[in-house]
Amino acid sequence: MTVPAASGAPHGGAADEPTPEAVQLIELLFFAYRDFTGDADAILAEYGYGRAHHRVLHFITRYPGLRVADLLLILNITKQSLARVLRQLVEGGLVVQSAGDTDRRERRLHVTPAGRALMRRLVNAQARRIRRATGLSGSGADAAIRRFLTAMIEPETREMVSTLLDLPKLSKDLNGELQP
Amino acid sequence: MTVPAASGAPHGGAADEPTPEAVQLIELLFFAYRDFTGDADAILAEYGYGRAHHRVLHFITRYPGLRVADLLLILNITKQSLARVLRQLVEGGLVVQSAGDTDRRERRLHVTPAGRALMRRLVNAQARRIRRATGLSGSGADAAIRRFLTAMIEPETREMVSTLLDLPKLSKDLNGELQP
DNA sequence: CAAATATGTCAATATGACTGACGTAAATTC
DNA sequence: GAATTTACGTCAGTCATATTGACATATTTG
């Protein structure tokens, strides 16, 4: 008797059974995401930064004036984890903090020109790969891929992400709009 | 006047400019992959294992008889990194090693029934999310998504991955077929 | 003023990755 | 048959990222 294949499933079992297509997508996701982040990793390494710095820089760039609490919710990490990364970005002159206008306990976060410079390199590299990939996927694929990735996100998180994606212009005054 | 950007182009410039769609996909990829791996992470935590164990277990399950060298190439990590994870899986009774038939220096890797049991839980959770996502993306989306993810993979790696995906049945005798 | 909130920080720990060096057994080559 | 190469393992040290728990400080709010 041969070793049961792929998922170990004897095939034809529960309705819950993973389809071979789904299993293939699991592997593709692994390799695709690894190479996708690899683009950025190579650039970040020049600066002595890592993926964590990238994520923080990304969201501060995209949503200027973000508060620390917002970042914690978006990234879903602890403040201790964020602290070191954020401190290094500030010390490196890529990010500046300033007390909130109405609430001076808050640290509103903004990227500096140097931070924008790095972000541009990073987004260029990653967007190039994405454009190439969507280009190769045929027209109209873009919408399907966006729907797929959105559906992959945890429903609760999905709402927050939709808010983020749909309101990029409001960045200058997203005072607490992020999570009511 | 806005701050001049990193690699030069202040918008409307180079053809290299990242499109807003690409930038959105960057964020969606981040959240989608995070929640996708979160499914598995929760299960693995029960066993005291991590993502690294998952990846190793996954590929041994999918390609029984895999050699250590194959795993290193697939995962693109060092043997020292693999060592601890693999040892823990063997000690935990999820994976067994046996000397190769023709070359007794090789350690052919196989999952035990216990390993299959864990893998089944993991693949069920992740495939469920994927099926739900592809389901929500409309019919025919599956192929578009597969093309997109494949195109996201580094061309060199892509060949290896295609080989892996296309030859799942040959798993029992992939003697060195993995990388000629 | 007291309590809640936003943020920061000290300390200890875990995971997963790395480099570099060295060891052993088995196969291959001369 | 000896020498080299290959497959794998292991010891030692380091780094990046994350965790939990406890405590500090400033500021806003009731």
Side-chain angles (χ1 to χ4, degrees):
Chain A
M1 201 171 171
T2 27
V3 182
S7 54
H11 242 75
D16 222 21
E17 205 65 10
T19 64
E21 289 78 17
V23 174
Q24 278 198 335
L25 285 181
I26 288 176
E27 279 183 23
L28 285 176
L29 266 169
F30 166 67
F31 289 112
Y33 194 76
R34 190 186 62 176
D35 289 349
F36 167 67
T37 54
D39 289 340
D41 290 343
I43 295 169
L44 291 159
E46 294 175 26
Y47 295 73
Y49 293 128
R51 244 176 245 188
H53 303 87
H54 183 187
R55 291 196 286 266
V56 170
L57 200 54
H58 173 93
F59 286 106
I60 297 177
T61 301
R62 191 132 160 71
Y63 311 103
L66 212 63
R67 294 168 303 178
V68 170
D70 297 324
L71 259 179
L72 294 180
L73 271 157
I74 292 172
L75 299 175
N76 209 21
I77 57 174
T78 61
K79 62 178 171 179
Q80 293 92 330
S81 299
L82 177 59
R84 183 182 52 91
V85 171
L86 192 52
R87 177 169 38 79
Q88 288 170 336
L89 287 174
V90 171
E91 284 171 358
L94 304 192
V95 168
V96 286
Q97 298 169 309
S98 57
D101 266 6
T102 59
D103 188 335
R104 294 193 14 241
R105 289 171 304 180
E106 297 172 350
R107 307 293 166 95
R108 311 302 288 222
L109 303 168
H110 296 270
V111 287
T112 64
R116 259 187 293 280
L118 174 54
M119 262 316 290
R120 175 168 287 265
R121 288 190 63 192
L122 294 168
V123 83
N124 275 346
Q126 293 196 314
R128 187 177 305 123
R129 182 182 291 267
I130 286 181
R131 266 181 292 124
R132 195 187 55 201
T134 51
L136 291 177
S137 303
S139 60
D142 204 89
I145 292 156
R146 199 191 332 275
R147 275 197 301 275
F148 169 72
L149 291 176
T150 305
M152 284 288 286
I153 299 172
E154 201 63 29
E156 304 162 31
T157 317
R158 206 179 299 160
E159 293 172 31
M160 183 201 70
V161 174
S162 302
T163 307
L164 286 176
L165 292 178
D166 294 350
L167 303 173
K169 300 290 173 53
L170 300 184
S171 45
K172 56 182 170 187
D173 60 347
L174 31 70
N175 299 316
E177 310 285 5
L178 283 177
Q179 11 64 37
Chain B
M1 201 169 171
T2 25
V3 183
S7 51
H11 233 78
D16 223 21
E17 205 64 9
T19 64
E21 289 77 19
V23 175
Q24 279 198 335
L25 285 182
I26 288 176
E27 279 183 24
L28 285 176
L29 267 168
F30 166 68
F31 289 112
Y33 194 76
R34 190 188 63 177
D35 289 349
F36 166 67
T37 53
D39 289 340
D41 289 343
I43 295 169
L44 290 159
E46 295 175 25
Y47 296 73
Y49 292 128
R51 246 176 241 188
H53 302 86
H54 184 188
R55 292 197 284 266
V56 170
L57 200 54
H58 173 93
F59 286 105
I60 297 177
T61 301
R62 191 130 162 72
Y63 311 102
L66 211 62
R67 295 167 303 176
V68 171
D70 297 324
L71 257 180
L72 293 181
L73 270 157
I74 291 173
L75 298 175
N76 208 21
I77 57 176
T78 60
K79 62 178 172 180
Q80 294 92 330
S81 297
L82 177 60
R84 184 179 50 92
V85 171
L86 190 53
R87 178 168 37 78
Q88 288 169 337
L89 287 174
V90 170
E91 284 171 358
L94 303 192
V95 168
V96 286
Q97 298 170 309
S98 56
D101 266 5
T102 60
D103 188 336
R104 293 193 14 243
R105 290 172 306 179
E106 298 171 350
R107 307 292 166 94
R108 311 302 288 222
L109 303 169
H110 295 269
V111 287
T112 64
R116 260 187 291 280
L118 173 53
M119 264 314 290
R120 171 172 290 265
R121 288 189 61 193
L122 294 169
V123 83
N124 274 346
Q126 294 196 315
R128 187 177 305 123
R129 182 182 292 267
I130 286 182
R131 265 180 292 123
R132 195 186 54 199
T134 52
L136 292 178
S137 303
S139 60
D142 205 88
I145 292 154
R146 200 189 334 274
R147 275 197 302 275
F148 169 72
L149 291 177
T150 305
M152 284 288 287
I153 299 172
E154 202 63 28
E156 304 161 32
T157 317
R158 205 179 299 160
E159 293 173 30
M160 184 201 72
V161 174
S162 303
T163 308
L164 286 175
L165 293 178
D166 295 350
L167 303 173
K169 300 291 173 49
L170 299 183
S171 46
K172 56 184 169 185
D173 60 345
L174 32 68
N175 298 318
E177 309 285 4
L178 283 177
Q179 13 62 38

